[in-house]
């Protein structure tokens, strides 16, 4: 029989995990000029600076909500899976959609988060039905990041106008639940300025209730059995170069699978021996390589159900098809690498690469996105403006489609180039990489059209050029002297390279061009020194989930391919094309020699120091990082030492071991279960509270702390077993081998792989409290066989807020939340004179640079290169 519904339990905290949701409906944010001055000063209490910085925009968002609140009318249609739902937005726009079933991630969040390139209002509905046999008062705990309205059986029972940035705010609502079923509908409101975390969660306090999802022709008993099977199904490889996904689960289960990229198609598989391989659909034209955008979470999602029409329950798992072209050892020479990169970029649709390779004319279609972003002032349009300037200089007039060159000129003349210029938009001006790209775009556009009037400001091009040059010079001089706040970002060093090489190539100011060339050398030197086999496995000041799971998606990967013959070819083609087509800027031989150098042990230290400026960073304090990189031919271990310990984190990747492009091993303290780039930090990128981490050569000790009320109070490790050649457990240790490289993790009580879900056999959960971890790397040449390496590891001593461990070759290491990190009983931060040691800015086999020195010398394997840290370096 069919009961026309599925029935579900609350989780152990009373969270409702099963919902029907509508789409996130969008409305234009066309009333910003009623709240902010588009042409006055950007600063102050009501300044438009808030539009580009998430936490600081909260007050404005609440003001916007008061002007455009949710309507107090519940949707009229019956709530049922696949049924229609309509909703009238604050401005009177009628929205239509369909109720779709979801099962939330373990944190219980219904999630419509998105990255929005232009400001927009976002409205969404979530509905569920609860059932009780005996009427009783309950307490509902509704958490959200934006205003909500809660309807019970069509009546409004609660509303809130509270806005938060990333972490939801929870409120209690007392409700009388009559016997039988009650329909709960939550309306959610947000306004998006770039990253927009739009989530809600509902918990039921007191005695449990049943959750009911109305669904025509469903059988709740069949669905219950199906759900038990689905809860045991897992995807064991988040990403693969193969167009297939391995599944595990109960033996004999027959599954029905569809894909987010082709929802109309489905396939059926049987788990023979508890395993199956699911082929993925062919990519759409132009989608043949994996995304390298820092805003992309995964290429597609699998929707997995039981092959029985009576069971509509499903699970959704993200998967990614990874770029197949990865190289861990160079093949050919720099001319070959340039040819490969340019052909790849041309195939990916980059018009400058296509012109360079084949002489192909720049078409209207090729610039449709870029021109649209400039016209609409979409976030990241600054990147596109710099790309357009390269086309302007590199492609002669006959190489453009008719009228297109003038369209580009007009777009550049009408564009906004910095926060102090008129316009209400949510373009980002306040991160380190965006700052320089803006200054580069303004400099080059102003120099290209010095006598023209730029319509947004009324300034001449010459005035814009001087404005851009002044800001660019200040930015570059600070980084030449002290390094980057976004240290070793595997997303943003590529963007820094884009801007620096552009200035070196085209700026009419020779001094500025040479400053830019010197800093470009420093960036590429850090890539040469702090990567391993084309994998940027260093600690990162900013990073994203997909790049931590696969180095093939790092935006720096194509640059290392071009410069060093190693890395990966992905969709991040703009920065590498700019570098590959450079004529004045050339990579120094000494930097290429650093990447080529193959020492049995490479130990590098990097100490950056600088100061934030409010008008650029919205912060006024010093920044600093002390990074350590240990490399052998078979493995890499890297970390940043004592980085802002105990403070809230954002997107920092604090430590990790690297054995291959898909075997980056690390531990985080997650604030939630999301992998969305609009959640910062999230389940895998960043930490809610930054740990205390110290490294001694091949060993990292890491301590984590959970404050009262922490939403997860746990850590977890990324340990992708399916990408290893071998793995084993030994006491509190879990270890893996890839080739001749080894890695081992230990925590109190040990850790075990998660066996189901989207991170099956990739995520480790600690048996104990997970507040202390030890990571050791090794290799066959020095540690013997994998079994010998594992047997050589002593059991660490875990105490409250402290861990002690002696690596196989010593010395004894001791780390606690308070007190010094000691090596062989001596504080590691004391120098030979027992004074606190000041790290050199750079200290590795190729370079020793102390803070305050005015020249950086790179010397290795008979090559040498010098950078004047006040003037950069000469250009031809």
């Amino acid at each position: 029989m069919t009961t026309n519904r599925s029935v579900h339990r609350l989780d152990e905290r009373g969270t409702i995990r099963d919902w029907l949701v509508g789409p996130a409906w969008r409305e234009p944010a066309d009333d910003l000029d009623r709240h902010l001055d588009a042409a006055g000063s950007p600063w102050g209490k009501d300044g438009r600076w808030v539009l580009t910085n998430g936490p600081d925009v909260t007050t404005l968002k609440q003001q916007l909500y008061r002007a455009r609140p949710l309507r107090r009318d519940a949707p009229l249609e019956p709530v049922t899976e696949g049924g229609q739902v309509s909703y009238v937005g604050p401005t009177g726009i009628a929205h239509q959609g369909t109720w779709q079933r979801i099962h939330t991630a373990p944190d219980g969040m219904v999630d419509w988060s998105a990255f929005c390139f232009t400001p927009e209002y976002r409205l969404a509905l979530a509905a569920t039905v609860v059932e009780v046999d005996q009427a009783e008062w309950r307490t509902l705990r509704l958490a959200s990041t934006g205003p909500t309205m809660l309807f019970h059986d069509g009546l409004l029972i609660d509303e809130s106008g509270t806005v938060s940035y990333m972490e939801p705010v929870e409120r209690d609502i007392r409700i009388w639940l009559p016997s039988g079923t009650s329909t709960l509908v939550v309306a959610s409101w947000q306004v998006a300025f770039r990253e927009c975390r739009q989530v809600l969660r509902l918990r039921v306090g007191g005695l449990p209730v049943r959750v009911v999802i109305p669904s025509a022709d469903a059988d709740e008993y069949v669905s219950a059995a199906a759900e038990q099977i689905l809860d045991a199904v897992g995807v064991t490889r988040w990403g693969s170069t193969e167009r297939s996904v391995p599944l595990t689960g109960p033996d004999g289960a027959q599954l029905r699978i569809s894909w987010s990229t082709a929802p109309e198609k489905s396939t059926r598989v049987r788990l023979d021996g508890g395993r199956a391989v699911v082929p993925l659909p062919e990519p759409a034209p132009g989608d043949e390589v994996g995304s390298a955008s820092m805003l992309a979470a995964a290429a597609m999602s699998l929707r997995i159900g039981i092959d029985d029409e009576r069971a509509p329950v499903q699970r959704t798992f993200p998967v990614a098809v990874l770029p197949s072209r990865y190289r861990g050892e160079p093949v050919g020479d720099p001319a070959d690498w340039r040819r490969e990169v340019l052909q790849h970029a041309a195939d990916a649709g980059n018009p400058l690469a296509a012109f360079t390779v084949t002489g192909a004319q720049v078409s209207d279609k090729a610039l449709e996105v870029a021109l649209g972003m400039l016209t609409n002032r979409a976030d990241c349009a600054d990147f596109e403006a710099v790309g357009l300037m390269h086309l302007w200089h590199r492609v002669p007039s006959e190489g453009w489609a008719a009228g297109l060159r003038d369209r580009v000129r007009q777009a550049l003349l009408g564009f906004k180039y910095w926060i102090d210029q008129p316009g209400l938009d949510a373009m980002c001006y306040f991160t380190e990489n965006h700052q320089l790209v803006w200054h580069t775009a303004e400099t080059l556009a102003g120099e290209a059209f010095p006598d023209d009037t730029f319509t947004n400001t009324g300034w001449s091009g010459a005035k814009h050029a001087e404005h851009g040059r002044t800001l660019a010079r200040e930015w570059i001089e600070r980084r030449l002297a002290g390094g980057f706040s976004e240290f070793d970002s595997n997303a943003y060093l590529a963007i820094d390279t884009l801007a620096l090489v552009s200035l070196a190539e085209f700026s009419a100011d020779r001094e500025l061009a040479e400053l830019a060339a010197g800093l470009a050398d420093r960036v590429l030197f850090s890539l040469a020194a702090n990567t391993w086999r084309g994998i940027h496995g260093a600690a990162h000041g900013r990073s994203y989930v997909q790049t931590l799971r696969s180095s093939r998606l790092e935006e720096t990967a194509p640059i290392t391919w071009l410069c060093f013959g190693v890395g990966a070819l992905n969709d991040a083609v703009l920065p590498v094309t700019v570098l590959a087509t450079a004529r004045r800027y050339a990579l120094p031989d000494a930097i290429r020699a650093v990447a080529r150098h193959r020492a049995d042990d490479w130990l590098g230290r990097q100490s950056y120091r600088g100061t934030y400026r409010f008008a650029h960073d919205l912060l006024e304090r010093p920044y600093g990082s002390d990074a350590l990189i240990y490399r052998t031919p078979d493995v890499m271990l890297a970390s940043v030492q004592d980085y802002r310990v105990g403070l809230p984190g954002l997107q920092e990747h604090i430590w990790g071991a690297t054995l291959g492009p898909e075997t980056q091993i690390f531990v985080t303290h997650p604030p939630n279960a999301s992998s969305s780039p609009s959640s910062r930090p999230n389940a895998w990128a960043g930490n809610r509270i930054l740990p205390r981490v110290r490294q001694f050569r091949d060993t990292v000790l890491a301590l984590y702390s959970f404050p009262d009320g922490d939403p997860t109070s746990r850590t977890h490790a990324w340990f992708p077993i399916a990408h290893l050649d071998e793995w084993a457990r030994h006491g509190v240790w879990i270890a893996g081998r890839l080739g001749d490289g080894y890695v081992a993790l230990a925590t109190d009580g040990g850790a075990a792989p998660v066996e189901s879900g989207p991170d099956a056999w990739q995520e480790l959960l600690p048996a104990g409290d997970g507040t202390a971890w030890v990571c050791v790397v090794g290799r066959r040449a020095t540690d013997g066989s994998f079994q010998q390496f594992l047997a050589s590891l002593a059991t660490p001593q875990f105490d409250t807020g402290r861990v002690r461990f002696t690596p196989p070759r010593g010395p004894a290491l001791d780390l606690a939340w308070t007190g010094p990190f000691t090596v062989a009983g001596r504080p590691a931060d004391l120098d030979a004179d027992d004074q606190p040691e000041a790290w050199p800015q750079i200290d590795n086999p190729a370079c020793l640079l102390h803070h305050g020195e005015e020249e950086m010398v790179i010397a290795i394997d008979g090559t040498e290169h010098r950078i004047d840290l006040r003037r950069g370096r000469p250009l031809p």
Side-chain angles (χ1 to χ4, degrees):
M1 60 173 284
T2 60
T3 57
N4 297 314
R5 66 184 202 167
S6 60
V7 179
H8 313 270
R9 292 179 300 203
L10 305 175
D11 74 4
E12 65 277 4
R13 301 185 67 180
T15 310
I16 295 175
R17 300 280 304 277
D18 296 276
W19 293 82
L20 295 175
V21 300
W25 293 302
R26 302 160 62 183
E27 295 185 359
D30 54 7
D31 63 337
L32 298 180
D33 57 350
R34 301 178 189 175
H35 305 272
L36 297 171
D37 186 351
S41 169
W43 309 111
K45 177 177 177 293
D46 298 316
R48 60 184 181 272
W49 64 274
V50 297
L51 291 175
T52 63
N53 193 59
D56 294 292
V57 79
T58 298
T59 301
L60 173 63
K61 284 188 175 185
Q62 294 184 161
Q63 180 181 337
L64 293 171
Y65 181 67
R66 288 192 293 271
R68 285 188 174 178
L70 292 165
R71 298 204 171 200
R72 301 166 67 87
D73 304 315
L76 299 177
E77 297 91 346
V79 172
T80 185
E81 182 175 8
Q84 294 298 304
V85 57
S86 59
Y87 190 66
V88 178
T91 60
I93 298 174
H95 301 283
Q96 303 291 326
T98 302
W99 288 117
Q100 300 290 328
R101 174 190 295 268
I102 68 162
H103 179 75
T104 73
D107 61 2
M109 294 296 173
V110 179
D111 195 341
W112 298 277
S113 300
F115 191 97
C116 302
F117 289 87
T118 56
E120 63 181 48
Y121 292 106
R122 296 171 60 82
L123 316 166
L125 297 175
T128 194
V129 177
V130 296
E131 182 178 65
V132 297
D133 291 343
Q134 296 178 0
E136 190 174 344
W137 285 99
R138 293 288 200 282
T139 299
L140 303 182
R141 297 187 176 93
L142 176 61
S144 71
T145 50
T148 57
M149 287 189 176
L150 174 62
F151 300 91
H152 175 224
D153 288 339
L155 298 177
L156 178 64
I157 63 169
D158 182 76
E159 59 182 306
S160 169
T162 301
V163 176
S164 63
Y165 177 50
M166 286 293 158
E167 296 204 348
V169 177
E170 190 170 66
R171 57 192 286 112
D172 286 357
I173 304 131
R174 291 287 288 168
I175 183 174
W176 174 259
L177 292 181
S179 60
T181 59
S182 296
T183 299
L184 300 173
V185 176
V186 186
S188 168
W189 181 100
Q190 260 290 0
V191 58
F193 305 115
R194 306 177 64 247
E195 70 272 11
C196 178
R197 189 164 195 235
Q198 186 174 9
V199 297
L200 63 85
R201 181 189 65 227
L202 190 61
R203 288 178 171 151
V204 182
L207 293 172
V209 302
R210 295 210 297 178
V211 176
V212 175
I213 301 298
S215 182
D217 300 324
D219 185 313
E220 64 188 87
Y221 305 105
V222 174
S223 295
E227 194 162 38
Q228 293 168 6
I229 293 171
L230 292 177
D231 282 340
V233 172
V235 172
T236 61
R237 286 178 183 252
W238 167 82
S240 173
T241 58
E242 306 296 329
R243 300 210 67 84
S244 62
V245 173
L247 297 182
T248 63
D251 184 26
Q254 301 204 53
L255 306 177
R256 184 178 65 252
I257 297 170
S258 61
W259 304 271
S260 60
T261 54
E264 71 285 353
K265 299 179 181 179
S266 64
T267 189
R268 290 169 168 79
V269 299
R270 185 177 188 275
L271 295 176
D272 289 322
R275 297 181 179 275
V277 176
V278 180
L280 299 178
E282 288 301 312
D287 189 35
E288 287 81 7
V289 293
S291 172
S293 167
M294 73 287 293
L295 304 176
M300 67 181 75
S301 294
L302 296 184
R303 291 177 66 87
I304 303 175
I306 298 298
D307 191 17
D308 190 316
E309 297 297 332
R310 297 170 296 173
V313 292
Q314 296 185 2
R315 297 293 182 265
T316 301
F317 299 155
V319 296
V321 178
L322 302 176
S324 59
R325 301 188 70 182
Y326 162 76
R327 189 182 283 163
E329 290 288 344
V331 176
D333 58 29
D336 296 321
W337 309 335
R338 180 178 183 273
R339 267 193 308 273
E340 292 165 342
V341 160
L342 286 174
Q343 185 62 61
H344 167 77
D347 293 342
N350 181 273
L352 178 57
F355 175 80
T356 304
V357 172
T358 68
Q361 188 180 65
V362 181
S363 67
D364 291 82
K365 183 177 180 181
L367 298 189
E368 182 179 356
V369 172
L371 290 174
M373 291 181 71
L374 264 69
T375 300
N376 294 315
R377 297 188 182 175
D379 190 48
C380 299
D382 47 330
F383 302 166
E384 301 297 338
V386 173
L388 291 174
M389 290 310 309
H390 276 263
L391 288 170
W392 187 268
H393 285 287
R394 294 289 189 228
V395 181
S397 57
E398 62 271 18
W400 298 71
L404 181 58
R405 189 171 169 89
D406 188 59
R407 285 180 59 202
V408 168
R409 177 176 170 275
Q410 293 302 323
L412 291 167
L413 290 176
F415 195 42
K416 175 183 175 181
Y417 290 94
W418 191 236
I419 185 66
D420 59 6
Q421 296 164 22
L424 295 174
D425 56 81
M427 297 186 293
C428 180
Y429 306 94
F430 300 120
T431 59
E432 187 173 55
N433 65 94
H434 274 286
Q435 294 164 20
L436 181 62
V437 179
W438 281 117
H439 307 333
T440 300
E442 184 173 29
T443 297
L444 298 184
E447 290 180 346
F449 315 115
D451 300 321
D452 288 312
T453 298
F454 282 61
T455 55
N456 185 54
T457 57
W459 297 356
S460 68
K463 183 174 180 179
H464 268 289
E466 185 54 37
H467 183 265
R469 283 193 295 259
T470 298
L471 295 173
R473 185 176 293 107
E474 291 176 355
W475 192 98
I476 293 171
E477 288 173 344
R478 286 170 175 270
R479 275 74 189 177
L480 270 174
F484 294 84
S485 64
E486 296 174 337
F487 56 91
D488 281 285
S489 172
N490 55 356
Y492 295 117
L493 283 191
I495 303 303
D496 297 331
T497 302
L498 162 69
L500 292 166
V501 173
S502 299
L503 287 172
E505 287 293 295
F506 301 128
S507 179
D509 184 325
R510 187 74 176 188
E511 291 183 356
L512 177 60
E514 293 189 346
L515 278 169
L519 187 54
D521 290 350
R522 283 206 62 170
V523 169
L524 296 176
F525 170 76
S526 71
L527 283 179
N530 300 345
T531 60
W532 175 85
R533 298 188 181 276
I535 303 164
H536 196 178
H540 307 302
R542 289 183 69 190
S543 194
Y544 293 84
V545 173
Q546 72 276 7
T547 62
L548 298 175
R549 292 182 171 184
S550 175
S551 70
R552 298 171 195 261
L553 298 177
E554 293 178 321
E555 293 195 310
T556 52
I559 293 177
T560 59
W561 185 296
L562 172 70
C563 294
F564 314 131
V566 293
L569 296 181
N570 56 38
D571 280 354
V573 294
L574 176 58
V576 77
T577 299
V578 163
L579 190 55
T581 55
R583 298 173 185 173
R584 285 207 293 188
Y585 180 83
L587 180 72
D589 290 339
I591 294 177
R592 187 171 286 118
V594 171
R596 193 169 53 236
H597 186 76
R598 288 289 182 267
D600 283 345
D601 287 283
W602 172 290
L603 186 64
R605 298 192 296 173
Q606 174 184 281
S607 177
Y608 286 164
R609 297 289 186 268
T611 303
Y612 290 119
R613 298 173 292 166
F614 184 81
H616 293 75
D617 306 290
L618 299 182
L619 292 171
E620 287 183 292
R621 63 168 176 80
Y623 67 79
S625 59
D626 295 319
L628 198 150
I629 297 94
Y630 175 76
R631 295 181 348 202
T632 77
D634 300 304
V635 70
M636 176 176 177
L637 184 67
S639 61
V640 58
Q641 314 302 292
D642 278 341
Y643 182 80
R644 295 179 57 78
V645 175
L647 293 173
L650 191 62
Q651 293 177 261
E652 304 92 345
H653 178 59
I654 301 300
W655 70 271
T658 303
L659 283 79
E662 280 72 62
T663 48
Q664 300 182 77
I665 313 298
F666 56 95
V667 173
T668 73
H669 167 201
N672 52 57
S674 174
S675 294
S676 168
S678 288
S679 180
R680 307 177 179 184
N682 59 32
W684 292 106
N687 294 265
R688 185 172 188 264
I689 302 297
L690 291 165
R692 184 174 192 199
V693 170
R694 295 302 300 259
Q695 179 177 349
F696 181 80
R697 296 186 64 83
D698 58 3
T699 303
V700 158
L701 306 183
L703 296 174
Y704 297 80
S705 178
F706 313 130
D708 289 343
D710 191 85
T712 60
S713 295
R714 68 180 179 91
T715 57
H716 61 175
W718 185 254
F719 194 88
I721 288 171
H723 291 284
L724 295 168
D725 293 332
E726 187 177 1
W727 74 284
R729 297 172 69 180
H730 176 69
V732 298
W733 294 95
I734 184 167
R737 177 185 68 82
L738 184 63
D740 290 334
Y742 311 142
V743 62
L745 285 178
T747 187
D748 194 12
V754 170
E755 298 185 13
S756 62
D759 297 332
W761 300 98
Q762 300 168 101
E763 178 184 19
L764 303 181
L765 292 180
D769 63 12
T771 57
W773 292 78
V774 178
C775 180
V776 181
V777 298
R779 57 191 295 247
R780 182 179 299 276
T782 55
D783 298 286
S785 69
F786 179 55
Q787 291 72 26
Q788 289 172 320
F789 166 72
L790 192 55
S792 71
L793 298 174
T795 300
Q797 182 175 342
F798 297 103
D799 300 306
T800 301
R802 186 178 184 183
V803 58
R804 285 170 280 185
F805 174 66
T806 302
R809 287 181 294 280
L813 308 177
D814 189 342
L815 181 68
W817 266 104
T818 58
F821 168 55
T822 65
V823 178
R826 184 175 186 274
D829 295 326
L830 297 182
D831 62 19
D833 297 321
D834 294 327
Q835 297 298 310
E837 181 186 22
W839 271 32
Q841 190 174 145
I842 298 174
D843 181 10
N844 64 39
C847 180
L848 176 60
L849 174 68
H850 293 282
H851 286 280
E853 291 185 337
E854 296 181 347
E855 185 178 56
M856 176 176 170
V857 180
I858 303 166
I860 196 166
D861 297 339
T863 63
E864 184 179 281
H865 178 63
R866 294 174 178 267
I867 305 168
D868 187 322
L869 299 179
R870 300 162 301 165
R871 299 182 179 87
R873 60 101 156 171
L875 287 169

